[in-house]
Amino acid sequence: MGDAARRIKRETLGIGDRRKHHTRRATPPKSHAKEADTHHRLYRFRFYPTREQAEQLQRTFGACRWVYNEGLALRSRAWEQHRVRVGFAETCRALTGWKRAEETAWLTEVSSTVLQQSLRHLDQAFGRFFKGRAKHPRPKKKGRSRDTAIYVVIVDRFFPSTRRCSACHRKGPAMDVSVREWTCAECGVVHDRDVNAAVNLRAEGCASTGRWPLGCRPGRCRPR
């Protein structure tokens, strides 16, 4: 990228310069290829937020929509007026500036992760457009359709979701990944490995947030 483009991004579009980071030793990427006979299971859960949580969700949806639309306007203006390409990284730096500006400081009330995810969705929409698989991205409107967002409840990486009995909570010994079913030595309940792990993770997530789905009690939480 030339100096002229960098100057336009910085002075005209309000995109901060890229920060320099210390060089890190490169590590080979991990393979995500599926092993033979590997299957994935999808679990859907429904949560019932409190009034305060519902208000926070509405603020989050509105902020995500605003960031998406502002990022779209920024990228469109950069190309139409200056013939400068703006990508995901530049919109993230612009987001930092929006959060620091007094008139849009309310963006700091929302998690940076979900705001950046909105910019990621925008970048993916442009990617599909450039490949000829979709139309040019359009601004998001509030409308009647329900906004959606993804929230991740972080569970300790060492949480024994697989080998802890979801019935009596006794932690069993480590087991090989080839073991798909096991029996708790304490209470005798027979577990499907994946279902048991899902139950434990769901219960741990609910316990960490203090919110349990309707009709679900600690120790009795089951995937739907």
Side-chain angles (χ1 to χ4, degrees):
M1 179 175 64
D3 293 336
R6 277 192 290 266
R7 185 170 59 255
I8 290 173
K9 290 182 179 181
R10 181 179 61 253
E11 299 177 2
T12 306
L13 302 176
I15 300 174
D17 291 328
R18 181 174 57 184
R19 294 183 178 181
K20 294 183 179 181
H21 298 277
H22 295 293
T23 303
R24 296 183 179 180
R25 187 176 181 179
T27 56
K30 295 182 179 179
S31 174
H32 294 283
K34 296 182 181 179
E35 298 181 359
D37 299 326
T38 298
H39 301 280
H40 293 285
R41 294 189 179 186
L42 175 66
Y43 298 97
R44 296 183 182 276
F45 305 106
R46 173 171 292 183
F47 292 88
Y48 297 85
T50 63
R51 185 178 64 180
E52 291 78 11
Q53 290 171 334
E55 292 174 352
Q56 179 61 37
L57 287 174
Q58 289 299 320
R59 286 194 294 271
T60 300
F61 295 149
C64 288
R65 184 170 56 251
W66 188 92
V67 166
Y68 183 97
N69 292 342
E70 193 68 15
L72 172 59
L74 176 65
R75 294 178 66 147
S76 300
R77 185 169 68 253
W79 179 250
E80 294 171 0
Q81 298 181 7
H82 308 285
R83 285 298 185 262
V84 171
R85 290 187 181 275
V86 171
F88 172 72
E90 287 91 350
T91 55
C92 284
R93 296 204 298 273
L95 172 60
T96 300
W98 299 336
K99 295 172 69 174
R100 291 175 178 173
E102 183 177 355
E103 62 273 18
T104 50
W106 51 271
L107 290 171
T108 59
E109 300 175 4
V110 177
S111 168
S112 296
T113 301
V114 294
L115 296 180
Q116 289 181 356
Q117 189 62 37
S118 291
L119 295 175
R120 176 70 69 185
H121 291 165
L122 174 63
D123 191 62
Q124 292 169 348
F126 269 105
R128 292 189 293 270
F129 167 69
F130 292 140
K131 293 178 181 178
R133 300 206 306 253
K135 296 181 179 180
H136 189 279
R138 302 179 64 179
K140 289 185 176 293
K141 298 180 180 180
K142 189 172 184 179
R144 295 181 179 179
S145 60
R146 298 173 63 185
D147 289 305
T148 59
I150 297 175
Y151 284 85
V152 178
V153 177
I154 304 299
V155 176
D156 192 305
R157 60 179 299 187
F158 298 109
F159 176 68
S161 61
T162 300
R163 58 195 181 106
R164 190 181 81 165
C165 174
S166 57
C168 69
H169 295 175
R170 180 183 184 275
K171 185 171 70 174
M175 63 185 77
D176 189 78
V177 293
S178 61
V179 178
R180 310 312 305 169
E181 189 176 272
W182 60 280
T183 302
C184 177
E186 182 72 19
C187 65
V189 172
V190 179
H191 292 292
D192 176 281
R193 180 192 184 103
D194 294 331
V195 173
N196 180 69
V199 171
N200 283 327
L201 287 171
R202 186 189 192 197
E204 183 70 9
C206 290
S208 66
T209 59
R211 297 298 302 170
W212 295 86
L214 188 64
C216 183
R217 296 288 186 271
R220 302 179 189 174
C221 213
R222 294 291 186 270
R224 297 177 181 177

